[in-house]
Amino acid sequence: MEQTLVLLKPSCIQRCLVGQVITRIQQRGIIISALKMMQLDEKILREHYAHLVDKPFFPSLAASMMASPVIAMVLSGVDIVEVFRKMTGVTNGRKAEPGTLRGDFCMSGQANIIHASDSVENAKIEIARFFRPEEIFDYAPATLQFLYGDGEA
Ligand code: UDP
Ligand code: MG
């Protein structure tokens, strides 16, 4: 099954939104394959946001991502990268559609509560950046036969 890398940012942790975000993930029928709390540092953020290191806002972005621990997750599902980007909503929370996580839970273009991989290729790279293989669990949820139709998953 396809996998994606998700980070619950310090803005999610500090605003006590972790439970609500995880509830949305689980009620959609998305499988949590890995989950841990970690403190990010400049080195991993320079890799993770390599496409943004030259932007004027990178120092404040890095500071915002180091302001507290984050929760990193690997989520699994059919077409999960695309499904979860749609659930996340566009980058700026003020422009994100209601019903998306950003559109329902934030008002910021930076403190936008969550990161989600933007392509299958990047998801593989990001999962390897944040998790060792033994931290990712390949188990079948008891509900699996009711999450998908025959032959879908
Ligand atoms: N960001 C920011 N200012 C900007 C654009 C992005 O602070 O003008 C931050 C924001 O937290 C965003 C992250 O940088 O989530 C990564 O940017 P990207 O364009 O990859 O957006 P995302 O994939 O998170 O929607
Ligand atoms: Mg991105």
Side-chain angles (χ1 to χ4, degrees):
M1 216 177 261
E2 193 173 287
Q3 297 188 317
T4 194
L5 185 279
V6 168
L7 299 175
L8 304 185
K9 297 182 177 186
S11 48
C12 183
I13 312 280
Q14 293 287 352
R15 294 180 52 225
C16 303
L17 296 170
V18 171
Q20 292 188 74
V21 172
I22 290 178
T23 294
R24 297 268 199 114
I25 289 167
Q26 292 196 307
Q27 71 189 10
R28 185 78 193 264
I30 292 168
I31 299 162
I32 300 174
S33 298
L35 187 153
K36 66 178 171 183
M37 186 173 258
M38 58 195 295
Q39 175 64 47
L40 303 185
D41 60 21
E42 185 108 17
K43 181 176 176 288
I44 200 165
L45 285 165
R46 283 185 161 273
E47 284 174 25
H48 182 63
Y49 286 136
H51 59 300
L52 300 173
V53 282
D54 296 327
K55 302 278 188 198
F57 61 81
F58 181 78
S60 74
L61 170 60
S64 76
M65 292 295 291
M66 295 188 290
S68 82
V70 301
I71 289 174
M73 291 188 274
V74 177
L75 303 183
S76 300
V78 175
D79 301 329
I80 187 65
V81 172
E82 187 189 350
V83 165
F84 202 74
R85 282 290 285 194
K86 279 199 184 133
M87 270 178 79
T88 297
V90 297
T91 306
N92 186 331
R94 295 189 297 280
K95 300 206 162 91
E97 290 288 325
T100 64
L101 293 163
R102 286 170 172 167
D104 285 351
F105 292 126
C106 73
M107 283 289 286
S108 170
Q110 180 166 92
N112 56 5
I113 78 160
I114 191 161
H115 164 84
S117 304
D118 63 4
S119 68
V120 175
E121 190 191 0
N122 282 339
K124 289 190 179 123
I125 295 167
E126 292 180 356
I127 288 167
R129 178 174 297 134
F130 287 92
F131 286 93
R132 299 191 303 274
E134 64 269 26
E135 292 177 315
I136 303 168
F137 296 89
D138 183 15
Y139 64 97
T143 52
L144 189 59
Q145 64 173 307
F146 300 101
L147 292 178
Y148 295 101
D150 193 26
E152 222 180 349

